[in-house]
């Protein structure tokens, strides 16, 4: 019911009556007097307190109920109150992408009991009608890559229900295989944050004959694309997901000019300087068949998962950062999981999560798996998939923290400075498109 609000099983609206029974006493007699109060007659601070307890998935219904509630829900005071209540919950909130749909979930831990996975609901957006193939989280915003539409990406704030469509300048999906690497971040300007969208192709195979790279960034403020002038000393596999931390994006990487493709480093992209930092050493030596995955820990630290697969039986090691900046990092061992109980628990996970206090790690592999010390393993079903072969379920996800960020919409107009920038960018664009076409023609022969 899009125009109604469900509170504790009761459908309410601002014009609904709340019936109270007041009993007055007379000599030898009691007379009940019935009074009614409209919800809209309640004090504003009381309405704010009531609505701030509404679960996140019902906020769209709140805003559609009436103009008063829509205005109230977007006020800074109410928004902060609502977001603080959600964030204060000790359970972990996440967004899971399952079979091209997004679900809001929460992992709840109990004392001396197994954890429970609460399915808060499926996230829907009128502006996203295509299947979602990839999702990335930064500061409460979701960057959604579409499975069947390579012409654009969607940036979405589920809290506000706001979206922004960003048109891509070109697409490159040979054999329907998306070769781009994506990231979302921001430049912190003190009083505000300027959001930017990074994507790149870096084809290093058969170098230098078929080597091709194109790093570009989109600025939300100016609504413009810019080709970055980079000479990579790193190599990033396009299939590797990164992690957003304090506005910057970190990714597993290796040295470029070697035959070694092992991810034994990470690298940071700084959205303020619009540049990559130095390679930062990971706290281990990855083997040829090992797999490295990054995760953000409550927007304060990074965690890295190393999946061992060289000696046959699989083992998992997890470290977390004790200090991290764009040009330096230090690590501390967090957890080691033996294969006897955790076989396949965190293998092939595009994303994973940790809870430092509970000393557990969580990840997707057909089921939602929670592993811990002393061989602890708990498997939880993500969603019910009637008629779906679980073995072919495409799933990944990201941690989620509701955000009060208002997505800045596309800028209109333009001036001489922007026109000169566009002319220079057009020249770079034409050069890169010509090189890409040459490589594609050669590979098709």
């Amino acid at each position: 019911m899009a125009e109604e609000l469900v509170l504790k099983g009761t459908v309410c609206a601002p014009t609904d009556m709340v019936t109270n029974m007041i009993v007055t006493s007379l000599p030898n007699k009691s007379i009940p007097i019935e009074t009614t109060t409209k919800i809209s007659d309640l004090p504003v601070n009381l309405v704010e307190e009531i609505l701030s307890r509404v679960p996140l998935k019902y906020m769209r219904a709140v805003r559609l109920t009436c103009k008063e509630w829509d205005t109230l829900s977007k006020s800074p005071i109410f928004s902060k109150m609502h977001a603080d209540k959600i964030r204060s919950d000790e359970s972990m909130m996440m967004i899971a992408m399952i079979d091209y749909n997004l679900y809001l979930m929460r992992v709840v831990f109990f004392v001396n009991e197994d954890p429970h996975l609460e399915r808060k609901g499926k996230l829907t957006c009128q502006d996203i009608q295509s299947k979602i193939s990839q999702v990335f989280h930064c500061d409460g915003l979701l960057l959604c890559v579409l499975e069947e539409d390579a012409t654009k990406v969607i940036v979405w704030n589920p809290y506000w229900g706001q979206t922004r469509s960003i048109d891509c300048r070109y697409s490159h999906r040979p054999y329907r295989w998306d070769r781009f690497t994506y990231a979302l971040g921001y430049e912190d300007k003190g009083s505000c944050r300027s959001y930017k969208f990074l994507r790149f192709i870096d084809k290093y195979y058969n170098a230098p004959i078929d080597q091709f790279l194109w790093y570009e960034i989109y600025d939300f403020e100016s609504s413009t694309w810019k080709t970055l002038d980079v000479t990579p000393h790193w190599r990033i596999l396009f299939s590797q997901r990164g992690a957003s931390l304090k506005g910057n994006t970190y990714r597993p990487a290796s040295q470029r000019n070697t035959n070694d493709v092992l991810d034994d480093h990470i690298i940071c992209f700084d959205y303020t300087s619009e540049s990559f930092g130095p390679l930062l050493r990971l706290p281990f030596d990855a083997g040829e068949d090992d797999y490295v995955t990054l995760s953000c820990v409550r927007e304060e630290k990074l965690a890295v998962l190393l999946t061992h697969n060289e000696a046959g039986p699989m083992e998992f090691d997890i470290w977390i950062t004790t200090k991290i900046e764009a040009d330096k990092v230090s690590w501390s061992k967090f957890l080691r999981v033996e294969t006897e109980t955790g076989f396949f628990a965190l293998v092939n996970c595009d994303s994973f999560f940790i809870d430092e206090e509970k000393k557990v790690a969580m990840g997707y592999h057909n089921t939602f798996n929670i592993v811990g010390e002393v061989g602890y393993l708990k498997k939880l079903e993500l969603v019910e998939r009637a008629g779906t072969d679980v073995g072919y379920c495409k799933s990944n996800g990201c941690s989620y923290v509701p955000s009060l960020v208002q997505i800045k919409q596309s800028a209109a107009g333009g001036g001489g400075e922007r026109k000169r920038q566009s002319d220079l960018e057009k020249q770079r664009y034409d050069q890169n498109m010509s090189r890409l076409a040459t490589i594609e023609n050669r590979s098709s022969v």
Side-chain angles (χ1 to χ4, degrees):
M1 291 176 288
E3 296 183 355
E4 296 173 333
L5 173 65
V6 180
L7 287 175
K8 295 184 179 179
T10 304
V11 179
C12 303
T15 55
D16 285 348
M17 303 294 185
V18 179
T19 301
N20 301 302
M21 297 298 293
I22 302 176
V23 178
T24 62
S25 296
L26 296 175
N28 303 319
K29 191 174 184 181
S30 295
I31 303 175
I33 301 175
E34 183 175 303
T35 64
T36 57
T37 303
K38 293 181 179 180
I39 294 179
S40 57
D41 293 334
L42 297 175
V44 174
N45 61 339
L46 181 56
V47 175
E48 288 179 337
E49 178 62 31
I50 294 172
L51 296 184
S52 69
R53 299 175 184 271
V54 176
L56 179 63
K57 67 178 181 179
Y58 291 126
M59 283 309 297
R60 184 172 181 271
V62 169
R63 298 184 183 108
L64 291 176
T65 301
C66 64
K67 291 183 179 180
E68 289 79 7
W69 283 10
D70 180 60
T71 301
L72 175 64
S73 67
K74 294 179 180 179
S75 69
I77 295 177
F78 172 82
S79 299
K80 186 176 186 307
M81 180 189 302
H82 190 226
D84 286 346
K85 286 185 183 297
I86 297 174
R87 290 170 180 155
S88 65
D89 194 325
E90 293 183 357
S91 57
M92 179 178 294
M93 187 177 293
M94 64 191 68
I95 288 179
M97 191 196 79
I98 306 168
D99 296 334
Y100 307 105
N101 295 305
L102 300 184
Y103 297 84
L104 182 64
M105 299 189 178
R106 187 191 301 271
V107 181
V108 182
F109 293 95
F110 302 98
V111 178
N112 299 323
E113 294 183 28
D114 285 334
H116 174 67
L117 185 64
E118 290 185 356
R119 302 169 184 87
K120 309 302 288 185
K122 180 179 176 180
L123 295 177
T124 59
C125 178
Q126 293 180 343
D127 296 332
I128 304 179
Q129 300 300 321
S130 301
K131 295 178 178 178
I132 298 174
S133 62
Q134 299 181 66
V135 61
F136 305 89
H137 173 259
C138 172
D139 197 32
L141 303 183
L142 302 180
L143 171 64
C144 301
V145 180
L146 307 180
E147 174 72 11
E148 299 171 348
D149 189 350
T151 66
K152 64 183 179 182
V153 297
I154 304 292
V155 177
W156 178 21
N157 185 337
Y159 181 85
W160 289 122
Q162 294 178 334
T163 63
R164 175 166 175 173
S165 177
I166 300 176
D167 292 331
C168 300
R169 297 191 291 179
Y170 67 102
S171 62
H172 181 59
R173 292 187 179 181
Y175 310 105
R176 298 178 59 86
W177 192 10
D178 193 345
R179 293 302 303 265
F180 284 99
T181 299
Y182 302 89
L184 182 68
Y186 61 82
E187 176 184 354
D188 194 341
K189 295 184 175 180
S191 59
C192 65
R193 292 172 176 175
S194 176
Y195 291 86
K196 301 177 184 181
F197 162 47
L198 172 72
R199 75 169 192 164
F200 60 88
I201 293 178
D202 195 339
K203 297 177 63 175
Y204 192 74
Y205 304 108
N206 197 26
I209 299 175
D210 290 333
Q211 180 174 336
F212 175 77
L213 60 90
W214 191 348
Y215 288 74
E216 58 180 353
I217 193 166
Y218 181 86
D219 190 318
F220 282 45
E221 295 287 336
S222 62
S223 302
T224 57
W225 284 98
K226 181 171 68 174
T227 298
L228 299 179
D229 184 13
V230 297
T231 304
H233 58 276
W234 61 87
R235 187 191 308 185
I236 300 173
L237 297 180
F238 75 92
S239 59
Q240 288 281 47
R241 293 175 61 86
S244 174
L245 180 65
K246 298 178 181 178
N248 293 333
T249 298
Y250 292 82
R251 289 188 179 275
S254 60
Q255 298 184 38
R256 190 175 191 86
N257 297 320
T258 67
N259 294 324
D260 191 356
V261 296
L262 305 180
D263 292 320
D264 50 6
H265 294 77
I266 60 173
I267 194 167
C268 172
F269 182 79
D270 187 319
Y271 289 85
T272 300
S273 62
E274 298 183 351
S275 63
F276 287 87
L279 286 169
L280 305 175
R281 195 71 168 84
L282 287 171
F284 50 75
D285 293 318
E288 183 175 351
D289 296 319
D290 290 348
Y291 194 78
V292 176
T293 312
L294 292 181
S295 177
C296 178
V297 184
R298 292 192 177 275
E299 300 187 328
E300 297 174 354
K301 306 175 183 178
L302 278 187
V304 59
L305 164 67
L306 173 64
T307 303
H308 299 284
N309 190 26
E310 284 192 312
M314 295 185 181
E315 299 170 339
F316 313 100
D317 287 302
I318 299 175
W319 287 262
I320 59 175
T321 56
T322 55
K323 181 179 181 180
I324 184 164
E325 297 177 8
D327 57 352
K328 53 187 168 183
V329 62
S330 57
W331 302 89
S332 174
K333 189 68 169 288
F334 173 70
L335 184 66
R336 180 178 180 82
V337 180
E338 302 293 342
T339 48
E340 286 76 11
T341 58
F343 187 67
F344 278 135
L346 298 178
V347 180
N348 298 328
C349 290
D350 289 329
S351 55
F352 76 100
F353 317 92
I354 70 169
D355 188 300
E356 290 186 86
E357 182 180 347
K358 307 297 182 183
K359 200 72 173 181
V360 296
M362 297 157 276
Y364 301 106
H365 184 74
N366 296 336
T367 56
F368 185 76
N369 304 310
I370 304 177
V371 297
E373 296 178 306
V374 198
Y376 178 82
L377 170 63
K378 177 68 175 178
K379 295 184 178 182
L380 304 173
E381 286 295 331
L382 290 167
V383 292
E384 307 228 348
R385 305 185 188 91
T388 300
D389 187 339
V390 175
Y392 290 94
C393 169
K394 182 175 183 180
S395 65
N396 60 49
C398 55
S399 59
Y400 176 68
V401 178
S403 171
L404 307 182
V405 172
Q406 300 276 351
I407 299 178
K408 185 176 180 62
Q409 298 304 312
S410 301
E417 182 177 352
R418 182 175 299 173
K419 182 62 169 60
R420 288 194 298 273
Q421 180 185 9
S422 298
D423 288 342
L424 175 61
E425 195 54 45
K426 184 177 185 305
Q427 180 182 359
R428 293 173 174 171
Y429 173 84
D430 291 340
Q431 291 174 347
N432 281 323
M433 288 300 294
S434 177
R435 291 171 53 214
L436 182 59
T438 300
I439 293 174
E440 289 181 337
N441 291 335
R442 185 162 54 239
S443 62
S444 64
V445 174

